[in-house]
Amino acid sequence: MASPASAAGYSCSHDGHAIWCATVTAVDPGSYLASHYGPSYGSGQTGRRYYNGEERELACWTTGDGDADGHGDRYWFMLDFDGDSGYVNDWYLTTGSAAQWQPHVPHC
């Protein structure tokens, strides 16, 4: 099983505006990170799939189910840019600690 990188999120640009981004990580080889309709695995999948190394723009954060690999990470990020809407668990993104990203990403 892969593990998340210790790197933190970073500022990136979307339509000329500075926003906060992170990279998908910790997804097992040959698998993907599924986007969900809400911050829980029971909310259903949106059909969006993300792979290690892809940059994602973080619209907001909330809490929900712990990560699927059992590490206890209950933070979820909503990805909602250009019709790409859905939630993913923080464990699978290079966000760093909550103290690093909370000043940049609003609560949903």
Side-chain angles (χ1 to χ4, degrees):
M1 174 181 355
S3 63
S6 61
Y10 49 91
S11 180
C12 62
S13 178
H14 178 77
D15 292 338
H17 298 94
I19 58 169
W20 206 245
C21 288
T23 303
V24 176
T25 189
V27 177
D28 289 334
S31 191
Y32 58 87
L33 176 61
S35 175
H36 294 266
Y37 288 110
S40 72
Y41 295 104
S43 67
Q45 296 182 10
T46 67
R48 300 279 184 189
R49 297 178 176 186
Y50 308 110
Y51 299 90
N52 286 331
E54 289 185 13
E55 179 179 89
R56 298 283 57 141
E57 300 159 332
L58 310 177
C60 61
W61 68 273
T62 191
T63 56
D65 288 351
D67 64 274
D69 291 322
H71 301 283
D73 192 332
R74 302 187 73 78
Y75 290 116
W76 286 68
F77 288 95
M78 182 180 199
L79 312 176
D80 186 17
F81 295 95
D82 298 332
D84 184 11
S85 179
Y87 291 83
V88 297
N89 186 278
D90 174 51
W91 179 259
Y92 307 100
L93 300 170
T94 59
T95 55
S97 71
Q100 293 172 304
W101 53 259
Q102 280 183 338
H104 310 284
V105 182
H107 189 270
C108 297

